[in-house]
PDB file of all heavy atoms in Angstrom:
ATOM      1  N   ARG A  60       6.058  20.644  -7.554  1.00  0.00           N
ATOM      2  CA  ARG A  60       5.056  20.510  -6.519  1.00  0.00           C
ATOM      3  C   ARG A  60       4.572  19.065  -6.392  1.00  0.00           C
ATOM      4  O   ARG A  60       4.275  18.580  -5.326  1.00  0.00           O
ATOM      5  CB  ARG A  60       3.857  21.432  -6.845  1.00  0.00           C
ATOM      6  CG  ARG A  60       4.055  22.850  -6.486  1.00  0.00           C
ATOM      7  CD  ARG A  60       2.811  23.615  -6.681  1.00  0.00           C
ATOM      8  NE  ARG A  60       2.537  23.730  -8.123  1.00  0.00           N
ATOM      9  CZ  ARG A  60       1.357  23.854  -8.624  1.00  0.00           C
ATOM     10  NH1 ARG A  60       0.302  23.922  -7.892  1.00  0.00           N
ATOM     11  NH2 ARG A  60       1.229  23.871  -9.953  1.00  0.00           N
ATOM     12  N   GLY A  61       4.425  18.377  -7.500  1.00  0.00           N
ATOM     13  CA  GLY A  61       3.946  17.014  -7.492  1.00  0.00           C
ATOM     14  C   GLY A  61       4.847  16.111  -6.692  1.00  0.00           C
ATOM     15  O   GLY A  61       4.359  15.186  -5.999  1.00  0.00           O
ATOM     16  N   GLU A  62       6.121  16.319  -6.775  1.00  0.00           N
ATOM     17  CA  GLU A  62       7.064  15.449  -6.003  1.00  0.00           C
ATOM     18  C   GLU A  62       6.875  15.653  -4.521  1.00  0.00           C
ATOM     19  O   GLU A  62       6.828  14.641  -3.757  1.00  0.00           O
ATOM     20  CB  GLU A  62       8.545  15.808  -6.404  1.00  0.00           C
ATOM     21  CG  GLU A  62       9.527  15.063  -5.612  1.00  0.00           C
ATOM     22  CD  GLU A  62      10.961  15.508  -5.972  1.00  0.00           C
ATOM     23  OE1 GLU A  62      11.139  16.236  -6.935  1.00  0.00           O
ATOM     24  OE2 GLU A  62      11.868  15.106  -5.213  1.00  0.00           O
ATOM     25  N   ILE A  63       6.691  16.845  -4.073  1.00  0.00           N
ATOM     26  CA  ILE A  63       6.479  17.119  -2.645  1.00  0.00           C
ATOM     27  C   ILE A  63       5.166  16.507  -2.213  1.00  0.00           C
ATOM     28  O   ILE A  63       5.117  15.882  -1.098  1.00  0.00           O
ATOM     29  CB  ILE A  63       6.541  18.627  -2.393  1.00  0.00           C
ATOM     30  CG1 ILE A  63       7.889  19.170  -2.679  1.00  0.00           C
ATOM     31  CG2 ILE A  63       6.099  18.969  -0.976  1.00  0.00           C
ATOM     32  CD1 ILE A  63       7.989  20.720  -2.659  1.00  0.00           C
ATOM     33  N   GLN A  64       4.155  16.606  -2.998  1.00  0.00           N
ATOM     34  CA  GLN A  64       2.844  16.073  -2.617  1.00  0.00           C
ATOM     35  C   GLN A  64       2.917  14.533  -2.514  1.00  0.00           C
ATOM     36  O   GLN A  64       2.330  13.903  -1.659  1.00  0.00           O
ATOM     37  CB  GLN A  64       1.800  16.456  -3.604  1.00  0.00           C
ATOM     38  CG  GLN A  64       1.439  17.933  -3.558  1.00  0.00           C
ATOM     39  CD  GLN A  64       0.529  18.388  -4.661  1.00  0.00           C
ATOM     40  OE1 GLN A  64       0.228  17.636  -5.619  1.00  0.00           O
ATOM     41  NE2 GLN A  64       0.104  19.625  -4.560  1.00  0.00           N
ATOM     42  N   ARG A  65       3.672  13.888  -3.443  1.00  0.00           N
ATOM     43  CA  ARG A  65       3.794  12.464  -3.389  1.00  0.00           C
ATOM     44  C   ARG A  65       4.570  11.965  -2.199  1.00  0.00           C
ATOM     45  O   ARG A  65       4.253  10.930  -1.545  1.00  0.00           O
ATOM     46  CB  ARG A  65       4.431  11.915  -4.683  1.00  0.00           C
ATOM     47  CG  ARG A  65       3.504  11.893  -5.842  1.00  0.00           C
ATOM     48  CD  ARG A  65       4.091  11.188  -7.057  1.00  0.00           C
ATOM     49  NE  ARG A  65       5.080  12.005  -7.696  1.00  0.00           N
ATOM     50  CZ  ARG A  65       4.784  12.863  -8.697  1.00  0.00           C
ATOM     51  NH1 ARG A  65       3.585  12.983  -9.113  1.00  0.00           N
ATOM     52  NH2 ARG A  65       5.761  13.563  -9.250  1.00  0.00           N
ATOM     53  N   LYS A  66       5.602  12.743  -1.804  1.00  0.00           N
ATOM     54  CA  LYS A  66       6.365  12.354  -0.584  1.00  0.00           C
ATOM     55  C   LYS A  66       5.485  12.523   0.657  1.00  0.00           C
ATOM     56  O   LYS A  66       5.512  11.655   1.555  1.00  0.00           O
ATOM     57  CB  LYS A  66       7.577  13.271  -0.427  1.00  0.00           C
ATOM     58  CG  LYS A  66       8.724  12.910  -1.355  1.00  0.00           C
ATOM     59  CD  LYS A  66       9.950  13.740  -1.106  1.00  0.00           C
ATOM     60  CE  LYS A  66      11.098  13.385  -2.018  1.00  0.00           C
ATOM     61  NZ  LYS A  66      12.252  14.218  -1.749  1.00  0.00           N
ATOM     62  N   LEU A  67       4.679  13.536   0.726  1.00  0.00           N
ATOM     63  CA  LEU A  67       3.751  13.717   1.875  1.00  0.00           C
ATOM     64  C   LEU A  67       2.750  12.596   1.911  1.00  0.00           C
ATOM     65  O   LEU A  67       2.424  12.075   2.989  1.00  0.00           O
ATOM     66  CB  LEU A  67       3.112  15.065   1.796  1.00  0.00           C
ATOM     67  CG  LEU A  67       3.993  16.294   2.070  1.00  0.00           C
ATOM     68  CD1 LEU A  67       3.234  17.575   1.893  1.00  0.00           C
ATOM     69  CD2 LEU A  67       4.601  16.242   3.461  1.00  0.00           C
ATOM     70  N   LEU A  68       2.195  12.191   0.756  1.00  0.00           N
ATOM     71  CA  LEU A  68       1.236  11.116   0.709  1.00  0.00           C
ATOM     72  C   LEU A  68       1.874   9.797   1.169  1.00  0.00           C
ATOM     73  O   LEU A  68       1.315   9.005   1.900  1.00  0.00           O
ATOM     74  CB  LEU A  68       0.666  10.963  -0.684  1.00  0.00           C
ATOM     75  CG  LEU A  68      -0.294   9.824  -0.863  1.00  0.00           C
ATOM     76  CD1 LEU A  68      -1.557  10.045  -0.017  1.00  0.00           C
ATOM     77  CD2 LEU A  68      -0.703   9.683  -2.323  1.00  0.00           C
ATOM     78  N   CYS A  69       3.163   9.580   0.792  1.00  0.00           N
ATOM     79  CA  CYS A  69       3.866   8.365   1.188  1.00  0.00           C
ATOM     80  C   CYS A  69       3.994   8.319   2.715  1.00  0.00           C
ATOM     81  O   CYS A  69       3.796   7.351   3.342  1.00  0.00           O
ATOM     82  CB  CYS A  69       5.233   8.334   0.502  1.00  0.00           C
ATOM     83  SG  CYS A  69       6.153   6.814   0.829  1.00  0.00           S
ATOM     84  N   ARG A  70       4.363   9.466   3.275  1.00  0.00           N
ATOM     85  CA  ARG A  70       4.513   9.464   4.757  1.00  0.00           C
ATOM     86  C   ARG A  70       3.174   9.325   5.455  1.00  0.00           C
ATOM     87  O   ARG A  70       3.070   8.716   6.461  1.00  0.00           O
ATOM     88  CB  ARG A  70       5.116  10.813   5.175  1.00  0.00           C
ATOM     89  CG  ARG A  70       6.579  10.912   4.855  1.00  0.00           C
ATOM     90  CD  ARG A  70       7.201  12.154   5.403  1.00  0.00           C
ATOM     91  NE  ARG A  70       8.608  12.221   5.007  1.00  0.00           N
ATOM     92  CZ  ARG A  70       9.334  13.308   5.113  1.00  0.00           C
ATOM     93  NH1 ARG A  70       8.797  14.392   5.594  1.00  0.00           N
ATOM     94  NH2 ARG A  70      10.573  13.289   4.727  1.00  0.00           N
ATOM     95  N   LYS A  71       2.077   9.873   4.828  1.00  0.00           N
ATOM     96  CA  LYS A  71       0.754   9.726   5.410  1.00  0.00           C
ATOM     97  C   LYS A  71       0.301   8.229   5.405  1.00  0.00           C
ATOM     98  O   LYS A  71      -0.316   7.788   6.346  1.00  0.00           O
ATOM     99  CB  LYS A  71      -0.251  10.547   4.618  1.00  0.00           C
ATOM    100  CG  LYS A  71      -1.653  10.563   5.140  1.00  0.00           C
ATOM    101  CD  LYS A  71      -2.518  11.466   4.350  1.00  0.00           C
ATOM    102  CE  LYS A  71      -3.930  11.435   4.871  1.00  0.00           C
ATOM    103  NZ  LYS A  71      -4.851  12.256   4.011  1.00  0.00           N
ATOM    104  N   LEU A  72       0.783   7.512   4.421  1.00  0.00           N
ATOM    105  CA  LEU A  72       0.475   6.079   4.334  1.00  0.00           C
ATOM    106  C   LEU A  72       1.428   5.228   5.174  1.00  0.00           C
ATOM    107  O   LEU A  72       1.439   4.019   5.073  1.00  0.00           O
ATOM    108  CB  LEU A  72       0.506   5.620   2.888  1.00  0.00           C
ATOM    109  CG  LEU A  72      -0.551   6.215   1.964  1.00  0.00           C
ATOM    110  CD1 LEU A  72      -0.331   5.806   0.515  1.00  0.00           C
ATOM    111  CD2 LEU A  72      -1.958   5.777   2.396  1.00  0.00           C
ATOM    112  N   ARG A  73       2.283   5.906   5.941  1.00  0.00           N
ATOM    113  CA  ARG A  73       3.235   5.238   6.816  1.00  0.00           C
ATOM    114  C   ARG A  73       4.297   4.473   6.014  1.00  0.00           C
ATOM    115  O   ARG A  73       4.673   3.390   6.462  1.00  0.00           O
ATOM    116  CB  ARG A  73       2.593   4.403   7.883  1.00  0.00           C
ATOM    117  CG  ARG A  73       1.756   5.198   8.844  1.00  0.00           C
ATOM    118  CD  ARG A  73       1.181   4.381   9.902  1.00  0.00           C
ATOM    119  NE  ARG A  73       0.291   5.175  10.724  1.00  0.00           N
ATOM    120  CZ  ARG A  73      -0.087   4.864  11.939  1.00  0.00           C
ATOM    121  NH1 ARG A  73       0.321   3.751  12.484  1.00  0.00           N
ATOM    122  NH2 ARG A  73      -0.842   5.638  12.612  1.00  0.00           N
ATOM    123  N   GLY A  74       4.661   5.004   4.901  1.00  0.00           N
ATOM    124  CA  GLY A  74       5.707   4.435   4.084  1.00  0.00           C
ATOM    125  C   GLY A  74       6.979   5.294   4.106  1.00  0.00           C
ATOM    126  O   GLY A  74       7.004   6.288   4.788  1.00  0.00           O
ATOM    127  N   HIS A  75       7.937   4.872   3.311  1.00  0.00           N
ATOM    128  CA  HIS A  75       9.138   5.669   3.182  1.00  0.00           C
ATOM    129  C   HIS A  75       9.645   5.542   1.755  1.00  0.00           C
ATOM    130  O   HIS A  75       9.396   4.537   1.076  1.00  0.00           O
ATOM    131  CB  HIS A  75      10.206   5.222   4.173  1.00  0.00           C
ATOM    132  CG  HIS A  75      10.523   3.748   4.033  1.00  0.00           C
ATOM    133  ND1 HIS A  75      11.563   3.263   3.312  1.00  0.00           N
ATOM    134  CD2 HIS A  75       9.950   2.650   4.627  1.00  0.00           C
ATOM    135  CE1 HIS A  75      11.641   1.955   3.343  1.00  0.00           C
ATOM    136  NE2 HIS A  75      10.645   1.577   4.179  1.00  0.00           N
ATOM    137  N   CYS A  76      10.332   6.563   1.339  1.00  0.00           N
ATOM    138  CA  CYS A  76      10.858   6.625  -0.058  1.00  0.00           C
ATOM    139  C   CYS A  76      12.202   5.889  -0.129  1.00  0.00           C
ATOM    140  O   CYS A  76      13.102   6.206   0.663  1.00  0.00           O
ATOM    141  CB  CYS A  76      10.997   8.026  -0.524  1.00  0.00           C
ATOM    142  SG  CYS A  76       9.394   8.869  -0.682  1.00  0.00           S
ATOM    143  N   GLN A  77      12.334   4.976  -1.057  1.00  0.00           N
ATOM    144  CA  GLN A  77      13.579   4.207  -1.212  1.00  0.00           C
ATOM    145  C   GLN A  77      13.904   4.000  -2.686  1.00  0.00           C
ATOM    146  O   GLN A  77      13.003   4.105  -3.513  1.00  0.00           O
ATOM    147  CB  GLN A  77      13.463   2.840  -0.581  1.00  0.00           C
ATOM    148  CG  GLN A  77      13.492   2.775   0.902  1.00  0.00           C
ATOM    149  CD  GLN A  77      14.869   3.148   1.451  1.00  0.00           C
ATOM    150  OE1 GLN A  77      14.990   4.166   2.062  1.00  0.00           O
ATOM    151  NE2 GLN A  77      15.811   2.297   1.224  1.00  0.00           N
ATOM    152  N   ALA A  78      15.144   3.710  -2.984  1.00  0.00           N
ATOM    153  CA  ALA A  78      15.524   3.394  -4.366  1.00  0.00           C
ATOM    154  C   ALA A  78      14.933   2.022  -4.778  1.00  0.00           C
ATOM    155  O   ALA A  78      14.506   1.883  -5.930  1.00  0.00           O
ATOM    156  CB  ALA A  78      17.024   3.396  -4.520  1.00  0.00           C
ATOM    157  N   GLU A  79      14.958   1.052  -3.866  1.00  0.00           N
ATOM    158  CA  GLU A  79      14.368  -0.286  -4.104  1.00  0.00           C
ATOM    159  C   GLU A  79      13.703  -0.738  -2.824  1.00  0.00           C
ATOM    160  O   GLU A  79      14.195  -0.519  -1.763  1.00  0.00           O
ATOM    161  CB  GLU A  79      15.484  -1.242  -4.511  1.00  0.00           C
ATOM    162  CG  GLU A  79      16.105  -1.010  -5.830  1.00  0.00           C
ATOM    163  CD  GLU A  79      17.151  -2.064  -6.176  1.00  0.00           C
ATOM    164  OE1 GLU A  79      17.175  -3.115  -5.495  1.00  0.00           O
ATOM    165  OE2 GLU A  79      17.908  -1.849  -7.109  1.00  0.00           O
ATOM    166  N   CYS A  80      12.587  -1.357  -2.962  1.00  0.00           N
ATOM    167  CA  CYS A  80      11.874  -1.934  -1.768  1.00  0.00           C
ATOM    168  C   CYS A  80      12.554  -3.247  -1.405  1.00  0.00           C
ATOM    169  O   CYS A  80      12.972  -4.002  -2.258  1.00  0.00           O
ATOM    170  CB  CYS A  80      10.430  -2.184  -2.117  1.00  0.00           C
ATOM    171  SG  CYS A  80       9.473  -0.675  -2.421  1.00  0.00           S
ATOM    172  N   LEU A  81      12.692  -3.467  -0.120  1.00  0.00           N
ATOM    173  CA  LEU A  81      13.291  -4.678   0.365  1.00  0.00           C
ATOM    174  C   LEU A  81      12.346  -5.862   0.143  1.00  0.00           C
ATOM    175  O   LEU A  81      11.142  -5.681  -0.141  1.00  0.00           O
ATOM    176  CB  LEU A  81      13.642  -4.549   1.846  1.00  0.00           C
ATOM    177  CG  LEU A  81      14.667  -3.430   2.132  1.00  0.00           C
ATOM    178  CD1 LEU A  81      14.813  -3.255   3.667  1.00  0.00           C
ATOM    179  CD2 LEU A  81      15.974  -3.662   1.443  1.00  0.00           C
ATOM    180  N   THR A  82      12.815  -7.068   0.351  1.00  0.00           N
ATOM    181  CA  THR A  82      11.975  -8.250   0.080  1.00  0.00           C
ATOM    182  C   THR A  82      10.785  -8.367   1.004  1.00  0.00           C
ATOM    183  O   THR A  82       9.782  -8.900   0.626  1.00  0.00           O
ATOM    184  CB  THR A  82      12.843  -9.534   0.183  1.00  0.00           C
ATOM    185  OG1 THR A  82      13.408  -9.578   1.536  1.00  0.00           O
ATOM    186  CG2 THR A  82      13.922  -9.538  -0.838  1.00  0.00           C
ATOM    187  N   PHE A  83      10.831  -7.798   2.206  1.00  0.00           N
ATOM    188  CA  PHE A  83       9.736  -7.895   3.158  1.00  0.00           C
ATOM    189  C   PHE A  83       8.887  -6.604   3.111  1.00  0.00           C
ATOM    190  O   PHE A  83       8.098  -6.349   4.015  1.00  0.00           O
ATOM    191  CB  PHE A  83      10.238  -8.131   4.554  1.00  0.00           C
ATOM    192  CG  PHE A  83      11.239  -7.145   5.079  1.00  0.00           C
ATOM    193  CD1 PHE A  83      10.832  -5.974   5.678  1.00  0.00           C
ATOM    194  CD2 PHE A  83      12.603  -7.399   4.886  1.00  0.00           C
ATOM    195  CE1 PHE A  83      11.773  -5.033   6.092  1.00  0.00           C
ATOM    196  CE2 PHE A  83      13.551  -6.451   5.319  1.00  0.00           C
ATOM    197  CZ  PHE A  83      13.122  -5.332   5.942  1.00  0.00           C
ATOM    198  N   GLU A  84       9.035  -5.797   2.067  1.00  0.00           N
ATOM    199  CA  GLU A  84       8.262  -4.578   1.934  1.00  0.00           C
ATOM    200  C   GLU A  84       7.404  -4.609   0.590  1.00  0.00           C
ATOM    201  O   GLU A  84       7.803  -5.257  -0.296  1.00  0.00           O
ATOM    202  CB  GLU A  84       9.172  -3.316   1.886  1.00  0.00           C
ATOM    203  CG  GLU A  84       9.957  -3.075   3.162  1.00  0.00           C
ATOM    204  CD  GLU A  84      10.871  -1.937   3.063  1.00  0.00           C
ATOM    205  OE1 GLU A  84      11.387  -1.647   1.972  1.00  0.00           O
ATOM    206  OE2 GLU A  84      11.024  -1.250   4.086  1.00  0.00           O
ATOM    207  N   ASP A  85       6.308  -3.885   0.632  1.00  0.00           N
ATOM    208  CA  ASP A  85       5.481  -3.754  -0.545  1.00  0.00           C
ATOM    209  C   ASP A  85       5.628  -2.367  -1.126  1.00  0.00           C
ATOM    210  O   ASP A  85       5.765  -1.379  -0.371  1.00  0.00           O
ATOM    211  CB  ASP A  85       3.992  -3.954  -0.227  1.00  0.00           C
ATOM    212  CG  ASP A  85       3.714  -5.423   0.095  1.00  0.00           C
ATOM    213  OD1 ASP A  85       4.321  -6.302  -0.483  1.00  0.00           O
ATOM    214  OD2 ASP A  85       2.822  -5.633   0.991  1.00  0.00           O
ATOM    215  N   GLN A  86       5.502  -2.270  -2.452  1.00  0.00           N
ATOM    216  CA  GLN A  86       5.549  -0.951  -3.071  1.00  0.00           C
ATOM    217  C   GLN A  86       4.135  -0.424  -3.092  1.00  0.00           C
ATOM    218  O   GLN A  86       3.202  -1.085  -3.642  1.00  0.00           O
ATOM    219  CB  GLN A  86       6.099  -1.070  -4.471  1.00  0.00           C
ATOM    220  CG  GLN A  86       6.118   0.258  -5.227  1.00  0.00           C
ATOM    221  CD  GLN A  86       6.548   0.126  -6.678  1.00  0.00           C
ATOM    222  OE1 GLN A  86       6.978  -0.956  -7.074  1.00  0.00           O
ATOM    223  NE2 GLN A  86       6.368   1.150  -7.429  1.00  0.00           N
ATOM    224  N   ILE A  87       3.909   0.714  -2.422  1.00  0.00           N
ATOM    225  CA  ILE A  87       2.543   1.258  -2.282  1.00  0.00           C
ATOM    226  C   ILE A  87       2.357   2.475  -3.145  1.00  0.00           C
ATOM    227  O   ILE A  87       1.263   3.062  -3.147  1.00  0.00           O
ATOM    228  CB  ILE A  87       2.189   1.504  -0.847  1.00  0.00           C
ATOM    229  CG1 ILE A  87       3.148   2.477  -0.221  1.00  0.00           C
ATOM    230  CG2 ILE A  87       2.115   0.241  -0.048  1.00  0.00           C
ATOM    231  CD1 ILE A  87       2.773   2.948   1.201  1.00  0.00           C
ATOM    232  N   GLY A  88       3.360   2.932  -3.854  1.00  0.00           N
ATOM    233  CA  GLY A  88       3.198   4.154  -4.655  1.00  0.00           C
ATOM    234  C   GLY A  88       4.551   4.554  -5.182  1.00  0.00           C
ATOM    235  O   GLY A  88       5.514   3.799  -5.138  1.00  0.00           O
ATOM    236  N   GLY A  89       4.638   5.822  -5.607  1.00  0.00           N
ATOM    237  CA  GLY A  89       5.895   6.344  -6.143  1.00  0.00           C
ATOM    238  C   GLY A  89       6.200   7.708  -5.553  1.00  0.00           C
ATOM    239  O   GLY A  89       5.324   8.500  -5.336  1.00  0.00           O
TER     240      GLY A  89
END
């Protein structure tokens, strides 16, 4: 359940899940 909640929170913050953030992106969570 925690994984699903974190993915939804990431989308709510207008982010996306990636293996590595690109140089012009900030890591805002996990």
Side-chain angles (χ1 to χ4, degrees):
R60 281 186 291 153
E62 177 184 347
I63 295 170
Q64 291 172 351
R65 283 188 285 271
K66 283 184 180 180
L67 290 175
L68 179 63
C69 184
R70 287 186 184 167
K71 185 177 178 182
L72 295 173
R73 296 184 184 198
H75 56 93
C76 296
Q77 285 291 112
E79 293 182 13
C80 295
L81 300 174
T82 56
F83 56 87
E84 294 178 329
D85 290 326
Q86 179 184 351
I87 57 173

